[in-house]
Amino acid sequence: IKPGDDFVEVLRRQVALSDVLLVVIGPRWGELLAARKADPDDFVAIELKAALDQGKRVIPVLVGGAAMPRADGLPEAIRALARRNAVGLRPERFKADCQGLMTALKEQLAAAEGEKAARTEAERKAAEAAHRAEDEATARRAAEAEKRVQAQTASGLSVEEIHKAEELANWQFVEGRNDIAELRDHLARFPGGVTEKYASTKLEALAWAALGAAPAIEALKAYADEFPKGANAAPARARLAELEREAEAARIAEEERQRETATWGAVAASTDKEAIEGFLKDWPSGQHAAAAKARLRELRRSAGGLSRGVLIGAGATGVLALLAYGGWANQEQLRLLPMFWSVSPSPLTASAEQALKPKGSFRECANCPELVVVPAGGFQMGSPEGKGDSDERPQHKVTIAKPFAAGKLEVTFDQWDACVAHGGCPAVTDDRGWGRGSRPVINVSWDYAKAYVSWISKLTGKSYRLLTEAEWEYAARVGTMTAYSWGDEVGTGNANCDGCGSQWGNKQTAPVGSFQANAFGIHDMHGNVWEWAEDCYESGYAGAPADGSADTTGDCSRRVFRGGAWSYDPGNLRAASRGGIHPDGRCYGVGFRVSRTLTP
């Protein structure tokens, strides 16, 4: 909203341009709105009143466990909002709830497009009728002018006098109509005439008024080019220069935001404190500053725990009581000390790796994930037309030419804490009160998962990573084309989800390996927690790699996760089901499993 604009009118115009308004309502929304109800310029109330008065579709979206406000708790002008059906976005069913909201939005926008098309057709017919009427009026004026010319010729008037009389007659017709096209036509027909000055002045005034309070750059350029010496030429040039400066500033700001995001992406999972500190020095108030500060705090905490573990060394048993008594180590550091000694690397030798057989398993450190060898092969990835979600198409053939190793189980809290104790991963303290140990680690972002596989790679000297999206689906399908590896029906007791019939369903995560392994020997590919994959999330498979590699060439502001979770319905557990969120995203329904590239 520009300086001097009436923001109430601007808001009403913007609402008029909208098809749907989403009203995001948190737990204190009604309370905060009520506290401002005496303010006639409260922008939330203004927007809502405009939308309700204009008959717009208004959808309340409830977040954070909020309830729909009662009518008697709302300002009188917007009490009709209480009658609108709401949509709830719950953390435990976030994807399903968002899909429902998106479906409603698509239906509403399609209906709005239909209404616009109908209005456009009606306006086209009205315009055609107006053009026909105008053509008829023009023909009448031409006939009348011809009669006048004949009469004037008969009276002995000169050609110049006749042309002047015709100009004056046309000016008398267009002067009061305020039609820009008619004024331009008049000036074209009578250049240099006695009415030119009046017509030009009126045309410029109408063109200036048509620009409105918020003119576009191109419209201002056209105005300045047409009226370089007009009465409003100077303010037009000044406003044009201002808009061009704003556009350039916005372009520079967007480039800076993109540069910040790219830099943060390069250092987010790093354990190099100096790199994070350098990022914060360059962008102390940037969009990722809060995440960088949090990451720095985690690194400092992890570094403190690691240094003490190293100093204690093998004599920790005898010194632990002294440290606790002296208050030198906090509770979390003491809890992690046993994890520090639980890691004893034993990477496979080259000959042992070459001797691995499909479905064989191995582990390369005492508290590292166990891996299963997945054989090479091909499969149809995604869902055919008419089935699944739109982002699962087009279905396409993928060939995985070489075997790879996949985690037999999802990474557990114990395995994560070993990484934390060695300073390779940030601490994750929130287990929702469900317990840690052999439960899958949760509240880990994609960046966190990448830090974990980087740590194991350094520890073992082997190439650990996340599964690619194609590898994940291949390992989940195990040669089937059914919704789940065991068939098209979810059944009972096959997985952990809302509707899977297990003791943990829609309550909490289950200890890893609680359900039967698939034919490759891998557990929990369906349900328990969503699992991060290596790929950038795209809204479909157009141009997706056909060799099983990760898609990392598109928009990487979202990363793929697969498999569904304990709080999601069975549809989200299908082998083809997929989703994507920002790589910084952390929640208690998302974890991961590791993969490892095998040497031929």
Side-chain angles (χ1 to χ4, degrees):
I1 301 177
K2 304 301 179 187
D5 286 352
D6 184 330
F7 79 90
V8 174
E9 291 305 317
V10 173
L11 292 178
R12 287 173 179 161
R13 286 198 300 270
Q14 292 300 315
V15 169
L17 293 172
S18 304
D19 294 316
V20 186
L21 257 75
L22 300 183
V23 186
V24 183
I25 298 177
R28 297 185 60 215
W29 187 86
E31 172 192 339
L32 296 171
L33 189 64
R36 301 199 303 262
K37 65 182 179 181
D39 182 2
D41 292 331
D42 179 63
F43 66 90
V44 175
I46 290 168
E47 289 177 338
L48 283 174
K49 183 178 186 304
L52 296 168
D53 289 348
Q54 295 172 23
K56 299 290 184 180
R57 174 63 64 91
V58 179
I59 303 177
V61 181
L62 307 178
V63 300
M68 191 65 192
R70 294 168 50 90
D72 56 10
L74 294 172
E76 185 175 356
I78 61 170
R79 284 181 180 170
L81 176 68
R83 300 197 299 268
R84 301 299 173 106
N85 194 32
V87 173
L89 298 185
R90 297 158 292 182
E92 66 273 14
R93 295 179 56 84
F94 189 74
K95 183 179 180 183
D97 289 344
C98 282
Q99 287 173 341
L101 177 58
M102 290 301 295
T103 298
L105 283 173
K106 288 176 181 177
E107 290 173 353
Q108 179 60 27
L109 293 174
E113 286 300 316
E115 293 172 2
K116 287 178 183 177
R119 286 197 302 271
T120 300
E121 179 62 16
E123 290 167 357
R124 184 187 65 78
K125 291 180 178 179
E128 287 180 352
H131 284 309
R132 285 196 298 272
E134 184 60 31
D135 290 343
E136 291 171 359
T138 301
R140 286 196 301 272
R141 292 200 304 272
E144 292 168 357
E146 180 63 25
K147 288 180 182 179
R148 287 195 299 272
V149 169
Q150 291 175 356
Q152 291 161 351
T153 302
S155 66
L157 294 174
S158 66
V159 174
E160 290 78 9
E161 289 171 326
I162 293 171
H163 189 71
K164 181 178 179 181
E166 184 62 26
E167 178 189 351
L168 292 171
N170 194 68
W171 174 246
Q172 186 178 14
F173 175 79
V174 303
E175 181 181 13
R177 290 170 61 84
N178 294 330
D179 187 302
I180 290 179
E182 288 181 349
L183 282 166
R184 287 199 171 101
D185 177 70
H186 178 83
L187 287 166
R189 287 175 59 193
F190 305 104
V194 294
T195 61
E196 182 180 49
K197 178 179 178 181
Y198 305 105
S200 296
T201 301
K202 190 172 186 66
L203 176 61
E204 184 198 352
L206 290 175
W208 178 254
L211 291 174
I217 289 179
E218 294 305 318
L220 271 172
K221 284 182 178 178
Y223 177 88
D225 290 343
E226 186 174 3
F227 306 103
K229 298 182 179 180
N232 296 297
R237 286 192 293 270
R239 182 71 175 123
L240 180 59
E242 179 187 357
L243 289 177
E244 288 176 338
R245 284 194 300 271
E246 290 174 357
E248 178 64 11
R251 183 190 66 78
I252 293 172
E254 179 59 27
E255 287 181 353
E256 184 66 8
R257 280 193 294 271
Q258 291 178 3
R259 192 166 73 89
E260 180 196 350
T261 297
T263 305
W264 175 240
V267 303
S270 171
T271 57
D272 184 349
K273 288 187 293 183
E274 291 185 359
I276 306 293
E277 289 167 348
F279 174 86
L280 281 170
K281 182 178 180 181
D282 290 338
W283 290 283
S285 303
Q287 55 187 328
H288 300 294
K293 291 173 183 176
R295 177 67 171 146
L296 199 55
R297 287 194 296 271
E298 290 164 355
L299 288 175
R300 286 167 177 162
R301 285 197 297 269
S302 298
L306 174 61
S307 63
R308 289 161 192 167
V310 172
L311 286 170
I312 294 169
T317 305
V319 183
L320 241 168
L322 176 62
L323 297 178
Y325 179 79
W328 182 72
N330 64 34
Q331 182 178 356
E332 178 67 8
Q333 290 164 340
L334 291 174
R335 185 184 70 79
L336 290 173
L337 281 173
M339 302 296 181
F340 182 81
W341 301 302
S342 71
V343 176
S344 177
S346 54
L348 293 180
T349 63
S351 58
E353 188 166 337
Q354 291 171 1
L356 290 171
K357 301 296 182 184
K359 304 181 186 179
S361 64
F362 63 95
R363 191 195 306 268
E364 295 186 286
C365 83
N367 200 13
C368 289
E370 183 178 0
L371 293 103
V372 174
V373 178
V374 179
F379 75 110
Q380 289 291 327
M381 185 174 179
S383 296
E385 289 295 329
K387 292 187 177 181
D389 296 333
S390 60
D391 65 348
E392 299 164 16
R393 294 190 283 273
Q395 193 176 48
H396 58 290
K397 178 70 179 290
V398 173
T399 300
I400 296 176
K402 298 189 300 182
F404 61 94
K408 182 177 183 178
L409 304 164
E410 294 157 331
V411 172
T412 66
F413 267 107
D414 270 355
Q415 291 162 350
W416 181 268
D417 284 343
C419 178
V420 175
H422 279 254
C425 297
V428 175
T429 57
D430 185 7
D431 59 11
R432 303 289 294 180
W434 302 335
R436 301 172 74 86
S438 63
R439 291 187 184 274
V441 65
I442 54 176
N443 287 310
V444 286
S445 66
W446 184 86
D447 295 326
Y448 279 26
K450 291 288 287 182
Y452 182 85
V453 295
S454 175
W455 170 70
I456 295 191
S457 296
K458 292 176 182 176
L459 182 73
T460 62
K462 304 295 183 178
S463 180
Y464 279 78
R465 55 184 174 79
L466 298 177
L467 288 162
T468 70
E469 187 176 14
E471 289 173 339
W472 191 98
E473 187 168 332
Y474 176 68
R477 288 193 178 280
V478 287
T480 71
M481 284 307 296
T482 50
Y484 314 98
S485 60
W486 56 83
D488 281 322
E489 299 298 326
V490 74
T492 301
N494 293 316
N496 182 17
C497 80
D498 181 6
C500 289
S502 81
Q503 69 189 74
W504 302 281
N506 203 27
K507 296 176 182 177
Q508 61 187 64
T509 58
V512 298
S514 295
F515 301 91
Q516 185 174 348
N518 66 19
F520 283 154
I522 304 174
H523 296 262
D524 302 322
M525 292 298 283
H526 304 281
N528 212 20
V529 291
W530 291 97
E531 298 174 10
W532 286 112
E534 187 70 33
D535 304 56
C536 305
Y537 176 82
E538 299 287 352
S539 58
Y541 288 135
D547 60 357
S549 60
D551 184 354
T552 57
T553 60
D555 176 12
C556 292
S557 61
R558 290 193 289 172
R559 292 285 180 168
V560 171
F561 54 70
R562 286 295 206 117
W566 58 272
S567 60
Y568 281 73
D569 60 53
N572 288 284
L573 272 65
R574 294 175 299 107
S577 180
R578 58 198 296 265
I581 57 174
H582 194 279
D584 283 347
R586 298 167 59 190
C587 70
Y588 47 84
V590 179
F592 69 103
R593 74 175 69 228
V594 301
S595 175
R596 167 146 126 54
T597 301
L598 297 176
T599 303

